[in-house]
Amino acid sequence: MSNIISAQDLCLWYGQFQALKNINMNIPENSITALIGPSGCGKSTFLKTLNRMNDLIPEVKITGKVTFQGKDIFAKSQDVNDLRKEVGMVFQKPNPFPMSIYDNVAYGPRTHGITKRAELDEIVEKALRGAAIWDEVKDRLKKNALGMSGGQQQRLCIARALAVEPKVLLMDEPTSALDPISTSRIEELAMDLKSKYTIVIVTHNMQQAVRISDYTGFFLLGDLIEFGKTDEMFSQPRDKRTEDYITGRFG
């Protein structure tokens, strides 16, 4: 299995504070990689580095290397918009735009120059089907997205990310604000999507990591303590700190 993203000796500082310390990780294609660890340990910071979301924060300094499909994402020649088209993001809190369901999904393709109605119709339907929400919304595509339930809004945000046909989907605790039924829908959806996409998910919920991920990285205080196949890490962690965290001794 080939790796789609690789981090080598990745360090990141917010001002004087070092949030990531020499992270080395290879993310295999068409898999779900979960990032776990207590709050403030660097997992979301690492996730946001993968599509350069941290560029938006002042006083960020990054050293080391991150490659996507073999190319350095911090290279001068890298267009950040192109990177974010290929490496999409779904946030913790559903954040639909205050516009119709249709326009939410069509937003990305339109910004990339697609204007033909028939083409947009096709993209919107495909993305909503991909996010397992088409049947629920197909009769109200013109309605404001803010009228949807939280779980539906989150699947709409996934559809919005899928509409520009990314290769990788980054998910930052996508179910933490959702009820159990919506959570299991998003989990099933993630498992369906990995045949076409690579998914990296930050989760506080270790059971979720066990249920859906192929690989897990455990972060602690900015260090990547352990990375490997999920079933192996949870059954035979190599590091005592991993064992202490997954058995609930701290966190």
Side-chain angles (χ1 to χ4, degrees):
M1 192 180 270
S2 60
N3 298 317
I4 190 163
I5 292 177
S6 291
Q8 290 137 17
D9 299 326
L10 178 68
C11 297
L12 182 144
W13 289 262
Y14 296 122
Q16 298 297 304
F17 173 70
Q18 187 170 1
L20 295 176
K21 303 167 188 170
N22 293 311
I23 306 297
N24 290 285
M25 187 191 293
N26 292 319
I27 295 171
E29 212 168 3
N30 297 111
S31 63
I32 299 179
T33 297
L35 308 177
I36 63 168
S39 292
C41 65
K43 54 193 190 296
S44 286
T45 295
F46 176 72
L47 189 79
K48 288 176 184 151
T49 306
L50 303 181
N51 73 345
R52 290 185 49 180
M53 277 291 183
N54 289 321
D55 288 18
L56 307 171
I57 301 167
E59 289 198 37
V60 160
K61 180 182 154 215
I62 296 172
T63 62
K65 196 171 179 185
V66 175
T67 59
F68 167 65
Q69 293 187 317
K71 294 192 181 113
D72 181 358
I73 69 167
F74 300 117
K76 294 261 190 297
S77 58
Q78 174 68 63
D79 181 317
V80 176
N81 289 331
D82 287 350
L83 176 69
R84 291 188 189 140
K85 181 175 182 286
E86 299 273 20
V87 184
M89 184 104 186
V90 176
F91 295 93
Q92 183 168 358
K93 202 164 174 289
N95 59 343
F97 303 136
M99 50 178 77
S100 73
I101 293 170
Y102 183 98
D103 287 338
N104 262 275
V105 184
Y107 186 87
R110 280 181 176 137
T111 60
H112 292 290
I114 295 170
T115 52
K116 285 196 180 120
R117 184 67 192 212
E119 202 176 338
L120 285 170
D121 286 352
E122 200 176 307
I123 289 169
V124 168
E125 178 173 342
K126 187 178 166 195
L128 289 167
R129 282 188 188 280
I133 193 171
W134 169 254
D135 290 335
E136 291 164 57
V137 301
K138 63 184 181 206
D139 300 324
R140 49 188 183 118
L141 295 175
K142 297 279 172 282
K143 293 264 179 16
N144 193 310
L146 301 180
M148 304 166 85
S149 72
Q152 287 177 325
Q153 287 186 7
Q154 192 61 299
R155 279 182 289 148
L156 176 67
C157 293
I158 292 171
R160 193 173 68 196
L162 297 181
V164 295
E165 302 198 321
K167 303 257 185 343
V168 178
L169 209 48
L170 307 177
M171 296 183 162
D172 193 1
E173 297 201 37
T175 61
S176 64
L178 303 180
D179 61 272
I181 290 170
S182 300
T183 296
S184 70
R185 282 205 170 146
I186 301 272
E187 288 181 2
E188 282 166 23
L189 174 57
M191 290 193 285
D192 286 344
L193 290 173
K194 77 173 179 185
S195 61
K196 292 188 188 136
Y197 308 91
T198 303
I199 295 173
V200 187
I201 181 168
V202 166
T203 179
H204 260 115
N205 180 335
M206 278 182 284
Q207 267 54 54
Q208 183 170 71
V210 171
R211 280 195 299 267
I212 70 170
S213 71
D214 304 290
Y215 299 89
T216 297
F218 169 51
F219 282 79
L220 187 62
L221 300 172
D223 287 306
L224 177 62
I225 304 297
E226 191 167 334
F227 179 78
K229 289 188 171 165
T230 299
D231 50 359
E232 289 172 11
M233 187 183 296
F234 279 88
S235 57
Q236 296 170 307
R238 294 189 298 272
D239 191 291
K240 177 81 169 72
R241 291 166 294 181
T242 313
E243 186 182 341
D244 287 350
Y245 181 70
I246 63 180
T247 54
R249 292 203 185 102
F250 72 92

